[in-house]
Amino acid sequence: MKKILYIVIATFILLTIFSCEKQNEWLDAKRQKEMVIPETLKDFQAILDYFYTIHTAFPIYGQLGTDDFILADADYSRSTEDIRNGYIWNKTIWSSDNTSCWDAPFAVILKSNVVLDGLNKVSKSADTEVFYNDIQGQAYFYRALFYYHLAQLFCKAYTSNSDSDLGLPIRLTSDVNVIAQRSSLSATYAQMITDTEKAVALLSQISVNNRRPSKVAALGLLAKIYLVMGNYDKAGFYANEALKINSLLLDYNSTYANLTRTYRFPANPYDHPEINFYGRGGGYAVVMPSSSTLGVINDELYNSYADHDLRRSLFYFTNTAGLHKYRGSYTGTNSNFCGIATNEIYLIRAESYARMKKTDLALKDLNTLLSYRYETGHFNPLTLSDPIILLKTILLERRKELVGVSNVRWEDLKRLNTETAFEKTLTRMVNGQTYTLEPNSPRYVLPIPNNEIQLSHITQNER
């Protein structure tokens, strides 16, 4: 156990050096006698199990710029500079040369590469093959997962121009002296898909707990990737494959969801039936699920919930001023849920079916989900027949069901803006001044932090 602790500490040191110091300092760090180099399968598993450097590394900055949360002028003025900049879609975003939105995901990618490179030096036997493959699959999953999250913030929406649009630097080695330049956006997504497909082939269907990646989680990730790419055939296929393994939904009438509990759902749950993979993000008082959160839920969103829809009471609370605030995260804490869960997978499959004109199947998925969300005896199944109305209904239910989850709303605004029928202009009034975010604006793409630009000389995003 002591050795594992040293491995975790050593890995953290390496990641800190990578994100904060010059490249050549890595060599000095490696010479430190006290540093333990991971060598065994248990060592590599310990690296991937370290909760506070992986499962909490999800960036949720995109939520600040969505239409779900509103800030009063006084709360805007007392927020941090980074929050204020994100809220009004300012050209300048970061108040310093670094941001955890970039550094933390790339730290996980580095850890994944450390494991993958290390496994190449470990012999695989008949006795260790299953364990070896599972660790390898986990590393591929994490690398793809965090590239996905980075792309949603630091790249344009995926379109027919993605061969020429800038993607991310694809880092496939633990040697930090190798500096990768930015690939095309299509190459970035191709790498995500390749890694996730490898994970699907290597991982067990269900992991020992929802902190470890599994085949069902990797299938869900493929569904998410293909959805934002606009490949609805494959998004629907992989969502369907994931639901073959786990199709469970939580009945919001059950005691598992509890209105007397501050955060509605159990804290950091291992037994939530919908959660295939658990991850969380936080750090922004505007969108955090808490009684003290600064952000107020947009009336348009709050009023979209029908009578007897339990999500309205489980996701939100109303303060003494009559303002509605978010408090119902699947983390059961004041952190935002950033994992992969069956409710989202149902909605991906429903949207994919609707896009492919499979109206009956889309409606079935939507009604299945909603039947678990209303008070017992009060849900009347929808009977929509117009495919356009059905698609719009599914998209609205995505917003209502996945509020506060990762950057889902930001991702949806961004991808849907590429379709004329779903374009949406966002407007804010702050201290008497109007701010506007037009569809397909370059300000949907965050700037890369200056420290990364100075270190690797990669191309900066235009805003």
Side-chain angles (χ1 to χ4, degrees):
M1 182 59 125
K2 188 175 182 181
K3 182 181 179 184
I4 291 175
L5 178 60
Y6 285 157
I7 292 168
V8 170
I9 292 172
T11 305
F12 178 76
I13 291 171
L14 296 180
L15 301 182
T16 303
I17 291 169
F18 173 71
S19 59
C20 300
E21 304 293 341
K22 294 180 180 179
Q23 298 279 348
N24 60 10
E25 292 180 4
W26 171 273
L27 298 176
D28 294 332
K30 286 172 65 178
R31 297 189 188 103
Q32 295 178 20
K33 291 181 180 180
E34 69 274 16
M35 186 157 302
V36 179
I37 303 301
E39 297 174 343
T40 69
L41 294 182
K42 288 185 178 179
D43 293 344
F44 294 121
Q45 185 62 72
I47 291 174
L48 298 178
D49 278 344
Y50 196 54
F51 182 85
Y52 290 103
T53 58
I54 292 183
H55 297 80
T56 64
F58 292 88
I60 61 168
Y61 193 86
Q63 284 199 38
L64 300 177
T66 72
D67 51 353
D68 285 348
F69 297 91
I70 306 297
L71 271 177
D73 286 351
D75 291 327
Y76 171 85
S77 297
R78 67 189 179 106
S79 295
T80 65
E81 183 178 347
D82 283 5
I83 288 177
R84 296 197 306 271
N85 288 340
Y87 184 73
I88 63 170
W89 317 294
N90 199 29
K91 183 174 183 178
T92 299
I93 291 292
W94 315 119
S95 57
S96 68
D97 288 340
N98 294 295
T99 171
S100 61
C101 292
W102 179 272
D103 295 340
F106 269 116
V108 179
I109 290 168
L110 175 60
K111 293 181 79 168
S112 300
N113 288 334
V114 167
V115 170
L116 290 170
D117 288 350
L119 287 174
N120 288 332
K121 302 173 185 177
V122 176
S123 298
K124 181 167 56 172
S125 68
D127 292 336
T128 63
E129 182 176 9
V130 173
F131 190 27
Y132 182 106
N133 288 347
D134 197 67
I135 294 171
Q136 191 176 48
Q138 291 174 52
Y140 281 125
F141 173 85
Y142 282 127
R143 191 165 71 184
L145 179 65
F146 282 93
Y147 265 120
Y148 172 86
H149 282 275
L150 284 163
Q152 307 318 305
L153 296 177
F154 294 97
C155 299
K156 293 180 179 180
Y158 194 95
T159 67
S160 59
N161 297 320
S162 292
D163 284 341
S164 57
D165 286 339
L166 285 171
L168 296 164
I170 299 176
R171 299 171 181 168
L172 304 180
T173 174
S174 58
D175 184 353
V176 296
N177 294 293
V178 177
I179 300 177
Q181 295 302 305
R182 295 183 70 175
S183 67
S184 68
L185 187 56
S186 60
T188 297
Y189 274 85
Q191 186 63 50
M192 289 181 216
I193 291 168
T194 296
D195 282 350
T196 315
E197 287 176 340
K198 289 179 180 178
V200 168
L202 292 163
L203 292 168
S204 57
Q205 285 201 338
I206 302 292
S207 62
V208 294
N209 61 60
N210 61 24
R211 269 55 170 179
R212 284 191 185 174
S214 61
K215 182 175 183 177
V216 66
L219 289 166
L221 177 56
L222 278 171
K224 286 170 65 69
I225 292 170
Y226 279 116
L227 182 75
V228 297
M229 292 176 70
N231 189 331
Y232 303 111
D233 184 20
K234 288 191 174 181
F237 172 80
Y238 285 110
N240 188 60
E241 291 299 299
L243 291 170
K244 286 179 182 178
I245 299 174
N246 180 24
S247 60
L248 295 176
L249 288 167
L250 174 64
D251 185 350
Y252 280 13
N253 290 281
S254 72
T255 56
Y256 196 91
N258 192 334
L259 282 173
T260 64
R261 190 186 292 122
T262 300
Y263 293 109
R264 313 309 199 208
F265 301 97
N268 300 309
Y270 283 90
D271 60 347
H272 194 301
E274 294 183 12
I275 296 178
N276 293 323
F277 176 77
Y278 181 91
R280 72 188 195 200
Y284 303 111
V286 177
V287 299
M288 62 189 291
S290 167
S291 301
S292 59
T293 186
L294 299 181
V296 174
I297 292 297
N298 190 331
D299 284 341
E300 174 193 27
L301 173 58
Y302 185 82
N303 293 332
S304 68
Y305 296 90
D307 292 340
H308 306 294
D309 186 336
L310 291 166
R311 292 175 296 184
R312 187 164 62 182
S313 54
L314 289 170
F315 289 178
Y316 312 111
F317 76 100
T318 304
N319 65 13
T320 54
L323 301 175
H324 311 299
K325 300 205 171 187
Y326 175 55
R327 199 162 65 182
S329 170
Y330 272 11
T331 66
T333 70
N334 63 357
S335 295
N336 297 73
F337 179 69
C338 297
I340 298 173
T342 56
N343 59 344
E344 182 178 1
I345 304 305
Y346 268 102
L347 287 162
I348 291 174
R349 190 171 71 174
E351 180 180 344
S352 299
Y353 282 150
R355 298 274 192 176
M356 295 186 290
K357 310 302 181 187
K358 298 180 180 180
T359 305
D360 291 346
L361 292 173
L363 190 60
K364 181 181 178 182
D365 275 349
L366 184 58
N367 280 327
T368 297
L369 174 66
L370 294 179
S371 68
Y372 286 84
R373 300 307 188 238
Y374 278 70
E375 292 176 28
T376 302
H378 286 280
F379 175 63
N380 295 313
L382 303 178
T383 57
L384 302 173
S385 58
D386 185 311
I388 301 301
I389 294 176
L390 175 58
L391 177 57
K392 289 181 178 180
T393 302
I394 291 168
L395 293 174
L396 175 59
E397 290 302 329
R398 268 183 67 86
R399 185 182 181 189
K400 292 159 65 176
E401 178 74 17
L402 303 175
V403 59
V405 173
S406 191
N407 292 301
V408 169
R409 180 58 181 164
W410 181 253
E411 296 168 19
D412 282 355
L413 286 165
K414 193 164 158 181
R415 70 182 177 95
L416 293 172
N417 276 334
T418 64
E419 303 176 61
T420 304
F422 297 112
E423 287 182 347
K424 185 170 186 178
T425 299
L426 304 186
T427 303
R428 304 218 195 275
M429 177 68 73
V430 179
N431 292 323
Q433 185 170 346
T434 300
Y435 299 90
T436 301
L437 183 66
E438 299 288 347
N440 306 307
S441 167
R443 298 197 182 184
Y444 270 104
V445 184
L446 299 180
I448 295 170
N450 287 334
N451 185 67
E452 182 65 38
I453 300 296
Q454 294 164 5
L455 187 66
S456 58
H457 305 291
I458 62 174
T459 305
Q460 180 61 280
N461 290 322
E462 295 182 4
R463 284 176 61 81

